[in-house]
Amino acid sequence: MADVLTWTVQQRLELEERAEVLRKELAEVEGRLVRLEAAEAVFGEWAEATDGGRRSSGIVDPDPDPDPDPEPVAVTPGAAGMRLVPERVDGMGMEVLTSDYRRIMEIVADADGPVMAKDVARALGRELTPAKVEPVRGQLRKLADRGWLSRTGAGRYLPR
């Protein structure tokens, strides 16, 4: 009987150690996720400000003559620190979302039932590799967290 008790105590200690390692690893992954979300927001701001890189960012001006009539800056999601996905409130339409997020919303709305990230990635024409599916999963999660979609316990998404 003592052997069983000793074994269970050892197992519990091993599992506690493993759980602590996993908690640390999860904290690191969550930290990376936060940094990547911030980078996504910054890149989104840059892309919108430069029309996807087709216009000068203003960092290095190829025209040394000052422009007497600077182009007005459009206030759009992702510009000037605005969220790419704002918190949804009643009466708010999808026009406040960027085109990428609107497309995801359309895919979820057109589906016959709850969708997974890989289903949305496939509908977007992306490869079904983790590198292509995980960003879509992050976008879906962001839409759900901000009230645009509902998330099931199984990690599937539905329109609200």
Side-chain angles (χ1 to χ4, degrees), residues 116-123 128 133 136-137 140:
M116 297 187 308
K118 69 177 184 177
D119 300 326
V120 176
R122 182 180 300 119
L128 297 182
V133 174
V136 173
R137 187 181 323 282
L140 287 164

Side-chain angles (χ1 to χ4, degrees), residues 4 7 12 16 18-19 29 35 39 46 53 55 58 64 71 83 86 95 106-107 121 127-128 133 135 143 146 152 158:
V4 172
W7 180 83
R12 183 182 52 80
E16 284 177 353
R18 179 73 177 137
V29 168
R35 288 191 302 274
W46 173 84
R55 290 186 317 187
E71 185 174 318
R83 287 179 153 184
E95 66 275 355
E106 290 167 359
I107 292 167
E127 296 175 31
L128 297 182
V133 174
L143 286 165
R146 303 218 175 121
T152 69
L158 293 163

Side-chain angles (χ1 to χ4, degrees), residues 10-27:
Q10 287 175 337
Q11 290 296 305
R12 183 182 52 80
L13 291 174
E14 288 176 18
L15 289 174
E16 284 177 353
E17 288 176 19
R18 179 73 177 137
E20 183 59 30
V21 168
L22 290 172
R23 276 191 285 274
K24 288 178 182 178
E25 188 176 328
L26 177 61

Side-chain angles (χ1 to χ4, degrees), residues 77-92:
M82 290 177 60
R83 287 179 153 184
L84 290 171
V85 179
E87 294 288 335
R88 186 173 183 274
V89 295
D90 288 337
M92 183 181 281

Side-chain angles (χ1 to χ4, degrees), residues 27-155:
E28 290 174 12
V29 168
E30 287 176 339
R32 287 186 63 205
L33 180 61
V34 167
R35 288 191 302 274
L36 287 171
E37 285 176 346
E40 178 184 344
V42 169
F43 181 77
E45 291 174 17
W46 173 84
E48 288 185 22
T50 62
D51 193 23
R54 289 186 285 275
R55 290 186 317 187
S56 171
S57 66
I59 295 171
V60 177
D61 189 359
D63 180 14
D65 296 332
D67 189 2
D69 297 319
E71 185 174 318
V73 177
V75 179
T76 59
M82 290 177 60
R83 287 179 153 184
L84 290 171
V85 179
E87 294 288 335
R88 186 173 183 274
V89 295
D90 288 337
M92 183 181 281
M94 287 196 313
E95 66 275 355
V96 300
L97 298 173
T98 63
S99 60
D100 291 339
Y101 284 99
R102 278 195 307 268
R103 179 72 183 118
I104 291 172
M105 291 290 295
E106 290 167 359
I107 292 167
V108 174
D110 292 343
D112 293 333
V115 296
M116 297 187 308
K118 69 177 184 177
D119 300 326
V120 176
R122 182 180 300 119
L124 290 170
R126 297 187 184 172
E127 296 175 31
L128 297 182
T129 62
K132 301 295 182 182
V133 174
E134 288 307 313
V136 173
R137 187 181 323 282
Q139 290 173 307
L140 287 164
R141 187 178 308 118
K142 193 177 292 186
L143 286 165
D145 290 347
R146 303 218 175 121
W148 292 91
L149 296 174
S150 293
R151 184 172 187 259
T152 69

Side-chain angles (χ1 to χ4, degrees), residues 1-10:
M1 199 54 115
D3 291 337
V4 172
L5 180 60
T6 302
W7 180 83
T8 48
V9 169
Q10 287 175 337

